[in-house]
């Protein structure tokens, strides 16, 4: 099995620090660039705020989502937009990291291995859908 050897050895603290820096840089750049709370999320949260105050979310011509999007966004109504700007990309990144950890477990790769750290860095830096999911959040 190709997992044996160097790839499954325990990753150093420097590798973990580099991974943390890359993940924080991704969250920070998305939070800095998405002033209005993200492309899709901004419309849905605005519609949820209107709904919470008794209006119709479909009064906004740009709200083209299913009605179930409004209750899903209601928890975000109670959080300040500046907090959401950082919290949403951080949560999406955390969920993607959790998905990576589940994939590692599914294939029997130790989560503290070099492959786990370097593979996640590779996903963040080199796999565009990872960054797009964080931006869409």
């Amino acid at each position: 099995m190709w997992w044996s050897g160097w790839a499954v050895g325990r990753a150093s603290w420097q590798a973990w620090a580099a991974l943390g820096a890359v993940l924080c840089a991704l969250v920070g750049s998305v939070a800095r660039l998405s002033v209005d709370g993200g492309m899709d999320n901004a419309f849905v949260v605005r519609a949820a705020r209107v709904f919470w105050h008794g209006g119709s979310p479909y009064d906004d011509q740009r709200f083209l989502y299913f009605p179930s999007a409004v209750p899903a966004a209601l928890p975000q109504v109670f959080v300040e937009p500046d907090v959401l700007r950082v919290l949403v990309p951080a949560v999406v990144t955390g969920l993607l990291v959790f998905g990576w950890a589940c994939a590692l477990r599914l294939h029997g790769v130790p989560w503290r291995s070099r492959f786990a750290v370097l593979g996640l860095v590779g996903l963040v830096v080199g796999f565009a859908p990872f960054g797009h999911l964080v931006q869409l959040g």
Side-chain angles (χ1 to χ4, degrees):
M1 201 165 171
W2 73 275
W3 298 113
S4 61
W6 183 83
V8 293
R10 191 175 185 134
S12 65
W13 69 268
Q14 293 94 341
W16 285 103
L19 173 62
V22 168
L23 290 173
C24 288
L26 174 66
V27 170
S29 68
V30 170
R32 184 176 47 86
L33 293 175
S34 62
V35 177
D36 62 348
M39 181 178 67
D40 288 343
N41 199 41
F43 296 129
V44 177
V45 172
R46 262 188 254 128
R49 282 196 177 102
V50 169
F51 179 74
W52 183 254
H53 293 296
S56 170
Y58 291 100
D59 288 342
D60 184 1
Q61 297 293 325
R62 295 171 294 185
F63 183 72
L64 304 172
Y65 300 91
F66 290 117
S68 60
V70 174
L74 276 177
Q76 296 180 38
V77 170
F78 306 108
V79 181
E80 293 296 319
D82 291 336
V83 174
L84 275 180
R85 211 169 64 176
V86 176
L87 186 65
V88 171
V91 168
V92 171
T93 302
L95 290 172
L96 288 169
V97 169
F98 177 71
W100 175 249
C102 289
L104 291 172
R105 181 170 169 87
L106 181 69
H107 292 286
V109 178
W111 68 272
R112 292 183 177 179
S113 67
R114 291 181 186 105
F115 180 80
V117 173
L118 295 175
L120 190 54
V121 168
L123 281 175
V124 174
V125 173
F127 189 59
F130 191 101
H132 291 166
L133 283 172
V134 176
Q135 288 175 346
L136 281 176

